[in-house]
């Protein structure tokens, strides 16, 4: 379970996030919407440990994230948190399969187990036909699915996605959205997505609006 309590963040004394209270249960697809510049990416970064709040707390699976630092934070992030970005950020010199395996290679999971799980996710996501291709030789949809498989490899508690379908055409965006929904059901995976896409918002279990630094249910 992800819980944020009275989370605040300011830059140059200008409030960006103000007293955000937020709870997400396992197996939930959450959409965060709002105007450009409202602080949606900042909020996602605060929830996912990429930034620290000025005040307030963020807890994941009962752990207060502000108590984690250095190697302990890196290990927690690797095991408990998945990331999917708009432009996927795959390593260009590695194949899609190797990119999917990377969190496991970095962690302590045995190589055979890493690769077995990567194969299963690649098949689930429908990119087994191109798993040995480099990102540059793959389509945008294939790269994004590889990024999702990478995010899921270590069975994180939450996957945070920043405009995950922003670089996809309408057809592939719709497929991605339905995939998120299916994974919520089949794997009890939790997704927290920042999006401008009304199609993703329409299928979300919870929708929140961020405006003027304040978060409210839609």
């Amino acid at each position: 379970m992800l819980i944020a309590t009275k989370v605040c963040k300011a830059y140059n004394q200008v409030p960006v996030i103000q007293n955000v209270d937020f709870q997400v249960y396992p197996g939930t697809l959450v959409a965060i919407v709002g105007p450009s510049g409202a602080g949606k990416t900042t909020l996602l970064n605060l929830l996912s440990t990429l930034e620290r709040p000025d005040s307030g707390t963020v807890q994941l699976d009962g752990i207060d994230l502000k108590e984690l630092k250095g190697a302990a934070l890196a290990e927690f992030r690797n095991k408990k948190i998945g990331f999917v970005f708009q432009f996927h950020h795959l390593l260009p010199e590695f194949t899609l399969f190797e990119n999917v395996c990377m969190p496991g290679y970095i962690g302590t999971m045995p190589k055979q187990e890493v690769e077995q799980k990567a194969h299963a996710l690649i098949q689930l996501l429908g990119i087994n036909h191109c798993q040995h291709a480099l990102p540059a030789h793959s389509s945008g949809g294939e790269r994004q699915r590889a990024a999702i498989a990478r995010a899921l490899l270590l069975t994180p508690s939450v996957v945070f996605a920043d405009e995950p379908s922003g670089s996809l055409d309408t057809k592939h965006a719709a497929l991605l959205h339905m995939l998120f929904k299916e994974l919520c059901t089949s794997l009890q995976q939790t997704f927290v997505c920042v999006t401008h896409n009304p199609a993703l918002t329409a299928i979300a279990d919870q929708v929140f609006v961020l405006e003027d630094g304040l978060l409210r249910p839609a």
Side-chain angles (χ1 to χ4, degrees), residues 107-169:
T108 58
M109 186 186 296
K111 182 179 179 181
Q112 183 178 2
E113 185 179 347
V114 169
E115 296 183 351
Q116 286 177 345
K117 189 162 187 183
H119 278 302
L121 286 167
I122 282 170
Q123 185 170 7
L124 175 67
L125 296 173
I127 53 172
N128 47 305
H129 65 284
C130 59
Q131 62 180 306
H132 299 303
L134 293 173
H137 300 150
S138 308
S139 71
E142 289 164 347
R143 292 194 295 268
Q144 194 65 312
R145 283 174 177 254
I148 294 167
R150 178 183 61 185
L152 293 171
L153 184 76
L154 299 182
T155 317
S157 295
V158 183
V159 172
F160 294 95
D162 193 357
E163 296 289 358
S165 54
S167 62
L168 302 180
D169 60 31

Side-chain angles (χ1 to χ4, degrees), residues 154-212:
L154 299 182
T155 317
S157 295
V158 183
V159 172
F160 294 95
D162 193 357
E163 296 289 358
S165 54
S167 62
L168 302 180
D169 60 31
T170 302
K171 175 185 175 182
H172 287 99
L175 291 172
L176 180 68
H177 299 160
M178 292 312 300
L179 177 63
F180 280 7
K181 194 70 173 176
E182 290 167 10
L183 292 172
C184 285
T185 302
S186 63
L187 300 181
Q188 276 295 289
Q189 182 60 61
T190 302
F191 289 91
V192 177
C193 306
V194 161
T195 185
H196 282 103
N197 193 316
L200 178 54
T201 303
I203 65 169
D205 300 303
Q206 293 178 273
V207 180
F208 295 90
V209 178
L210 184 67
E211 195 166 16
D212 298 327

Side-chain angles (χ1 to χ4, degrees), residues 87-113:
F87 297 107
H88 56 73
H89 295 302
L90 298 179
L91 299 173
E93 67 272 28
F94 295 98
T95 66
L96 297 188
F97 175 75
E98 291 167 334
N99 268 280
V100 173
C101 290
M102 201 59 65
Y105 290 158
I106 293 171
T108 58
M109 186 186 296
K111 182 179 179 181
Q112 183 178 2
E113 185 179 347

